[in-house]
Amino acid sequence: MSYFNHENLLQKDDFGKPQEGKAGKIYYEVRGAGMPVVFLHGNTASSRMFEPLLPLYEDKFQVILMDFLGNGRSERVEKFSPDVWMDQAAQVIGLLEHLKVGKAGLVGCSGGAWTAVNTGLMRPDLIKGIVADSFDGRTLGEGFAENLVRERQAAKKDPQSAGFYAWCQGDDWEQIVDKDTEALLQCAKLGRPLFAAPLSQLSLPLLLMGSLGDQMTRRDLKQEYEEIAGETGGEICLFPQGGHPALFSNAEEAAEVICRFFQK
């Protein structure tokens, strides 16, 4: 197992007041060889979610996995920030600086997609390109808070979903899910910005990926992706079928698209 110590980062809130980012020991692992590509897990998950997919990628890339603070095998935190995806982006930056691998690709799914885009906005010098898979885009979907509470309550009672949480997080999975739910509800309630800068400032190649059959993303996903692509010059890959996230529900097809994107 490999860890690095993520130090406190001084960030600024909307009023220019310094605030501390999360700090602690972050778990990571590196597999394969070639261009470095970091896979970023979604909220309530961990890098274990990518393990079934590794045979599709590790013979083409140097695959880098990490568990965000408070998740998986990384150090626990008292609570998650309402600006969780910017806080996680700072952690990705810390890992890339620690590894000194040069410019890396980022593949983020669900919440990890917001983290990936924020990383590119904050430190484009470290990133070669971004795949943002199965996320709502520039805003949280309509009825986000109500839907989130309902989905999380149902998931905790569902044996399959609870089993996934336990596999990713360990015995304290329920506490982690509750902390994450509270952070996202605060994000929605306070109207926190989802990105560190306007998307029009993103200067990196971007691939927006998703499934039209995904019930966990916004209903107007195609339109949202088209508008983001208009701002960023990004590409779009929407599979006609599949669930959440597309990276899994269309695993082999998604891997082909991602490999072509990074090998351009």
Side-chain angles (χ1 to χ4, degrees), residues 8-25:
N8 278 343
L9 297 178
L10 281 179
Q11 303 172 336
K12 292 184 178 180
D13 62 18
D14 293 343
F15 304 99
K17 180 181 178 182
Q19 57 182 6
E20 288 189 347
K22 294 289 186 294
K25 289 175 61 178

Side-chain angles (χ1 to χ4, degrees), residues 37 42 65 79 131 139 162 171 177-179 183 211 240 256:
V37 177
L65 305 177
K79 62 180 180 178
V131 177
T139 60
D171 293 340
V177 171
D178 289 345
K179 289 178 182 179
S211 298
E256 291 178 6

Side-chain angles (χ1 to χ4, degrees), residues 44-46 48 67 70-74 76 161-177:
T44 69
S46 75
R48 278 197 168 128
D67 292 343
N71 293 275
R73 288 158 280 190
S74 289
R76 295 297 184 253
S161 298
F164 174 78
Y165 289 147
W167 177 57
C168 284
Q169 307 289 9
D171 293 340
D172 59 345
W173 66 266
E174 191 166 2
Q175 298 174 38
I176 296 169
V177 171

